[in-house]
Amino acid sequence: CERDIDDVMTRANGVAYALVARETTPLAEHSEVEGNAPEVAKKVLQGIASNNRQVSRTSYVQGIYLFHVLVSDGISFICMAEEDFGRRVPFVFLEDVRQSFTAKYGTQALHAAAYAFNEEFSRVLNQKMNYYNTNPQADTIGRVRKEISEVKNIMVENIELVLERGEKIDLLVDKTDSLQDETFRFRRQARRIKQEMWWRSMRMTILLIIVVFLGLYFVLALACGPRLKNC
C-alpha cells in the first residue's frame, strides 16, 4: 500500500490490536488504538478465505504496520503491531492467545456466533497486550520457544495480495497522548476506582434500605406490638 498513509497516523507501541476469528466470523477482539484496524484485519480474513490461502503464520505489510496471522484448527489469530516491533514477540503473543483461547473454548469456537466470546475474551486480549508490550521478559520468551524463534521462515507479504484485485484500503490509526502507556495505567486505575465507588455506593444504599426497614418496623412495633398482630 502507499507509504503516504504514514502522514495520517501516529505510531503505536507494540501490539495495538488483536482479533480472534473463525474464517470471516469475528469471535473476540480488542484494540488499544482508534481507527480502522478492525476493518483492515477483517479484509485480511476475507482475502485469505476467498483466495483459499493455506496459511499458518504470515505477516502482511500495511505501511509502517504489520498484521501478523496465526491459523490453527480453523481459527485465525491476528494482531497488528509496528514493523519496528519485530515479528518474534507478536507471534509469541499470538501463540499465547491461541493456547488460552483453545483451552477456554475448545470446539465451541467452531460453531459460535459472531463476537460470542468478546465480552469475556477481549479482557484476556487486553491483559496479554499489556504484558507483551511492557514486560522486557516477553522477548526472552520468544527466543526460547522453538516454534516461534525462527521468524525468518515466516512469510511476509504485502496486504494487497489478499485483497480483491484493484482494491485498496488505507490503515488509519489515531494514537494520541491519551493512549500512551502511562495513560493506559491511569485508565485501568480509573476504572478500578469507579468500580470501588460503585460498590461503596451500593453498600450505602443497601444499608440505608435496611435502616429504613428497621425504623419502619420499630414504629409499627410500638403501635401494633412486636409481632404486629394488633394492626
Side-chain angles (χ1 to χ4, degrees), residues 1-2 43 159-170:
C1 290
E2 297 178 1
K43 286 287 187 181
I159 201 169
E160 292 181 355
L161 294 178
V162 295
L163 301 180
E164 295 181 6
R165 181 173 298 180
E167 182 181 8
K168 289 186 178 294
I169 184 167
D170 288 342

Side-chain angles (χ1 to χ4, degrees), residues 38-54:
E39 178 185 351
V40 177
K42 289 159 192 172
K43 286 287 187 181
V44 171
L45 288 175
Q46 293 170 5
I48 292 174
S50 63
N51 295 330
N52 294 318
R53 296 171 65 88
Q54 301 298 320

Side-chain angles (χ1 to χ4, degrees), residues 8-230:
V8 293
M9 60 185 173
T10 51
R11 295 171 70 86
N13 294 326
V15 177
Y17 170 78
L19 168 70
V20 181
R22 181 188 67 251
E23 296 182 347
T24 59
T25 302
L27 301 175
E29 68 180 343
H30 177 73
S31 181
E32 295 284 1
V33 294
E34 296 180 356
N36 66 339
E39 178 185 351
V40 177
K42 289 159 192 172
K43 286 287 187 181
V44 171
L45 288 175
Q46 293 170 5
I48 292 174
S50 63
N51 295 330
N52 294 318
R53 296 171 65 88
Q54 301 298 320
V55 300
S56 56
R57 292 188 181 94
T58 306
S59 297
Y60 297 97
V61 180
Q62 171 71 317
I64 64 169
Y65 291 89
L66 287 175
F67 283 83
H68 306 282
V69 182
L70 169 64
V71 180
S72 176
D73 297 326
I75 305 298
S76 298
F77 304 88
I78 297 180
C79 72
M80 181 191 78
E82 288 185 24
E83 187 172 4
D84 292 345
F85 194 58
R87 286 177 284 159
R88 179 169 48 242
V89 174
F91 275 102
V92 174
F93 164 79
L94 290 178
E95 179 63 24
D96 192 3
V97 169
R98 183 196 68 79
Q99 292 178 7
S100 296
F101 185 85
T102 302
K104 193 169 189 62
Y105 302 112
T107 57
Q108 295 181 54
L110 300 178
H111 310 286
Y115 293 105
F117 311 124
N118 193 62
E119 182 176 356
E120 184 177 32
F121 201 73
S122 62
R123 293 193 291 268
V124 177
L125 293 174
N126 181 28
Q127 293 168 358
K128 292 187 183 299
M129 275 188 195
N130 289 334
Y131 174 78
Y132 284 96
N133 288 345
T134 61
N135 194 321
Q137 297 299 318
D139 190 59
T140 302
I141 295 173
R143 292 178 184 276
V144 299
R145 291 194 178 184
K146 293 181 180 179
E147 70 274 20
I148 298 297
S149 60
E150 295 298 327
V151 293
K152 63 183 179 182
N153 295 326
I154 297 174
M155 186 180 302
V156 179
E157 297 182 347
N158 191 289
I159 201 169
E160 292 181 355
L161 294 178
V162 295
L163 301 180
E164 295 181 6
R165 181 173 298 180
E167 182 181 8
K168 289 186 178 294
I169 184 167
D170 288 342
L171 174 64
L172 305 176
V173 175
D174 179 15
K175 189 172 188 301
T176 61
D177 291 340
S178 63
L179 293 174
Q180 298 296 332
D181 289 339
E182 291 184 1
T183 308
F184 287 156
R185 290 190 291 271
F186 173 80
R187 288 171 58 189
R188 289 197 298 272
Q189 183 179 7
R191 285 196 298 268
R192 193 160 53 245
I193 293 174
K194 183 178 180 180
Q195 290 174 350
E196 291 175 357
M197 292 181 64
W198 184 87
W199 279 112
R200 184 179 303 173
S201 175
M202 182 60 66
R203 287 195 295 268
M204 291 297 296
T205 300
I206 294 173
L207 180 61
L208 180 61
I209 292 173
I210 293 174
V211 170
V212 171
F213 178 82
L214 291 176
L216 180 61
Y217 172 80
F218 182 77
V219 172
L220 291 175
L222 289 176
C224 305
R227 298 186 178 182
L228 308 181
K229 291 183 176 182
N230 299 326

